[in-house]
Amino acid sequence: MKQSPVTIAIVSVVIAVVLWAVATWLEDGSRWSIPAPITEPGVTQVLVRPDTAVQLGAEAANCEEVETALRARLDDARHCSSDDDCTLFDYGYPIQCMTSVAKNEISGLRAAYNDYEQSCKYRVFYDCPTGHMQRQAVCRANRCAVELRSNEVLEEETRDYLGLEQRKSQ
């Protein structure tokens, strides 16, 4: 028996709608309702903690002042005369990732960062990503900076030394 493609498409859509309606009726919407708390002995119920409210009071203003002071202290600690004077200083927020400072300023900066941690109850936490790049503290124009260096040169030199051919990625 030969049927037209339009008839087959209409019958397929009708069957899909009927199957969807039956599945919805059988499901009864219970999947989307909030489950009742578990009251069995020895089972602990873990609830989702709500987000912390945005802080706009005196405590938040004090935190902003401490952040500003820490950034100013950090900016003043970038003086150098050679690459050996500099070191990496990645503490996360509010200090930018990949920051370099003078080695002789590290103790004071750590103390300033500890003051920030004590003063700011609602802090932002994040780690500085490193990826596959090597970071190096350098002195440029009498200011400590960070240079990124790829490991590819070292990998290539190692392959050459070992007499291995470089694999070509496709």
Side-chain angles (χ1 to χ4, degrees), residues 46-115:
V46 178
L47 299 176
V48 175
R49 185 176 57 113
D51 287 341
T52 306
V54 174
Q55 302 296 312
L56 300 173
E59 190 174 313
N62 182 41
C63 183
E64 286 182 29
E65 289 174 12
V66 174
E67 284 181 14
T68 303
L70 179 60
R71 286 186 185 113
R73 175 90 167 85
L74 182 74
D75 194 47
D76 291 341
R78 291 191 169 151
H79 56 85
C80 63
S81 56
S82 71
D83 290 351
D84 290 335
D85 295 340
C86 300
T87 187
L88 296 175
F89 190 73
D90 287 342
Y91 272 64
Y93 188 86
I95 300 169
Q96 296 176 352
C97 286
M98 293 193 277
T99 301
S100 177
V101 296
K103 288 179 182 176
N104 61 355
E105 298 286 342
I106 288 292
S107 297
L109 286 171
R110 285 184 181 149
Y113 192 81
N114 287 337
D115 289 344

Side-chain angles (χ1 to χ4, degrees), residues 24-40:
T24 304
W25 177 73
L26 290 174
E27 190 174 68
D28 189 26
S30 62
R31 167 183 267 169
W32 312 114
S33 62
I34 298 172
I38 301 171
T39 57
E40 296 176 21

Side-chain angles (χ1 to χ4, degrees), residues 126-165:
Y126 70 81
D127 290 325
C128 295
T130 57
H132 62 283
M133 302 293 283
Q134 179 186 9
R135 299 173 295 153
Q136 178 126 13
V138 295
C139 184
R140 298 290 180 259
N142 293 333
R143 301 232 345 131
C144 291
V146 176
E147 275 188 3
L148 294 177
R149 296 187 179 153
S150 173
N151 292 334
E152 291 175 6
V153 173
L154 179 60
E155 290 172 2
E156 185 178 320
E157 288 177 3
T158 303
R159 281 192 200 100
D160 289 344
Y161 179 78
L162 295 174
L164 301 174
E165 290 185 28

